[in-house]
Amino acid sequence: MKSPAHRTRDIERQPGYLKPEHCAPPPPRSSSDAMWFIRDGCGITCSVITWFLVFYAEFVVVFVMLLPAKNVVYSLFNGVLFNGLAFLALASHAKAMCTDPGAVPKGNATKEFIESLQLKPGQVVYKCPKCCSIKPDRAHHCSVCKRCIRKMDHHCPWVNNCVGENNQKYFVLFTMYIALISLHALIMVAFHFFFCFEADWGKCSGFSPPATVILLILLSFEGLLFLIFTAVMFGTQVHSICSDETGIEQLKKEERRWAKKSKWMNMKVVFGHPFSIAWLSPFATPDHGKADIYQYIV
């Protein structure tokens, strides 16, 4: 049985299949490549819509519900909480969108690179014919990013990026914080409706009663929709991390070829080792180097 380091794909190693002579050398990395960004019209549009909806919720929460409230403590507490969570949600979104998800170097299936691998007899490799790269184990090609992505879970247009090995933490945080601000907004809308029915609608907001009702109904619809969507997505992502099986691997029902680890270790692989408050921060880059995976194998 081959060791994990020598395993790649279940195909015969045939020089004619790899065809390294058809691959040009990989392009040199320039300073302009420092920030990862996918130029996809649909993804950019979805990302702009996401930010617009968050700012709309900010507007309704602050100017329709909190500023007109007579209870200063209530307004201050909810304002700080909502704006803090919204800031973390947008920061997580930006990090998920602008972080390289784990792209395999493009065009590395050259004759020189294949020779440098020093493949042993019987060892197999797989070349992606679309981006001319040697695919590592558990990598899949994304037709939108036009790259092979390590541990690719799926391509999400809402973050205009693939969710992969390097940015899954930020995507999970994004779904969690959006779900929290959606729930918080719905609770505040419910309280606002209750107090306004008890008092004069004209004193509940700086806007006219019809405008206030329309703004609150739209926010309720947005909050409910995004709460359901992001809560489900957050749950599926956590389950995927704990089971150490990406969405594509589950969909394709791929045979498990990697070492089984504990659920806690799988969480550390994504969010960093050791456990700390940095797990909740989109500004903290996960430290995978200190995690000894064999210590937690079950």
Side-chain angles (χ1 to χ4, degrees):
M1 183 177 179
K2 299 182 181 67
S3 65
H6 292 161
R7 248 184 345 244
T8 49
R9 302 288 178 187
D10 285 339
I11 60 172
E12 284 191 86
R13 180 189 168 211
Q14 300 175 351
Y17 173 80
L18 288 174
K19 297 180 180 178
E21 66 277 5
H22 292 174
C23 293
R29 185 176 178 87
S30 63
S31 58
S32 60
D33 297 327
M35 187 182 76
W36 176 274
F37 185 77
I38 302 301
R39 294 172 177 83
D40 174 60
C42 176
I44 294 173
T45 301
C46 290
S47 298
V48 171
I49 291 174
T50 300
W51 281 64
F52 171 79
L53 291 175
V54 173
F55 284 127
Y56 171 77
E58 285 267 4
F59 169 77
V60 176
V61 167
V62 174
F63 293 99
V64 177
M65 292 191 288
L66 295 183
L67 288 182
K70 296 180 180 179
N71 192 324
V72 178
V73 176
Y74 172 85
S75 297
L76 186 61
F77 172 79
N78 284 285
V80 171
L81 179 60
F82 186 87
N83 283 280
L85 292 175
F87 172 76
L88 290 173
L90 293 178
S92 300
H93 182 275
K95 289 284 286 185
M97 179 171 58
C98 298
T99 298
D100 181 348
V104 178
K106 195 172 184 178
N108 68 351
T110 60
K111 183 178 180 180
E112 294 76 14
F113 181 76
I114 295 173
E115 290 176 351
S116 70
L117 295 177
Q118 298 180 346
L119 301 175
K120 297 181 180 180
Q123 188 176 348
V124 294
V125 292
Y126 181 76
K127 185 194 82 172
C128 175
K130 297 178 181 179
C131 60
C132 216
S133 301
I134 297 295
K135 264 188 179 181
D137 201 14
R138 305 186 70 183
H140 294 84
H141 185 85
C142 174
S143 59
V144 179
C145 297
K146 295 180 175 59
R147 298 288 291 275
C148 285
I149 308 296
R150 295 190 301 271
K151 289 187 68 176
M152 174 181 169
D153 187 86
H154 69 288
H155 184 92
C156 178
W158 295 105
V159 297
N160 189 35
N161 201 0
C162 276
V163 178
E165 185 176 73
N166 294 341
N167 69 340
Q168 190 171 24
K169 170 192 172 179
Y170 309 124
F171 181 75
V172 173
L173 291 180
F174 166 66
T175 59
M176 182 184 73
Y177 287 126
I178 289 294
L180 289 176
I181 65 172
S182 299
L183 178 61
H184 189 200
L186 288 173
I187 293 174
M188 285 190 289
V189 168
F191 273 107
H192 201 74
F193 267 118
F194 175 78
F195 289 127
C196 286
F197 276 125
E198 293 291 327
D200 183 7
W201 271 91
K203 298 179 180 179
C204 285
S205 172
F207 298 86
S208 64
T212 301
V213 171
I214 292 174
L215 291 171
L216 292 177
I217 290 177
L218 290 176
L219 179 61
S220 300
F221 178 75
E222 175 192 342
L224 184 61
L225 183 66
F226 274 87
L227 173 61
I228 295 173
F229 177 75
T230 54
V232 171
M233 183 60 70
F234 174 78
T236 57
Q237 284 293 301
V238 172
H239 176 267
S240 176
I241 293 171
C242 291
S243 62
D244 193 19
E245 193 175 22
T246 66
I248 289 183
E249 290 165 349
Q250 294 174 13
L251 185 65
K252 293 185 175 181
K253 298 182 179 179
E254 294 185 358
E255 181 183 355
R256 191 182 189 96
R257 299 171 179 273
W258 50 93
K260 186 178 180 181
K261 304 183 290 291
S262 68
K263 295 179 180 179
W264 185 240
M265 182 56 207
N266 290 329
M267 293 290 289
K268 288 184 176 181
V269 169
V270 173
F271 290 94
H273 180 86
F275 170 76
S276 68
I277 193 66
W279 279 27
L280 302 177
S281 172
F283 304 102
T285 303
D287 183 5
H288 309 298
K290 297 180 181 179
D292 182 6
I293 63 172
Y294 300 104
Q295 180 181 355
Y296 299 91
I297 292 178
V298 294

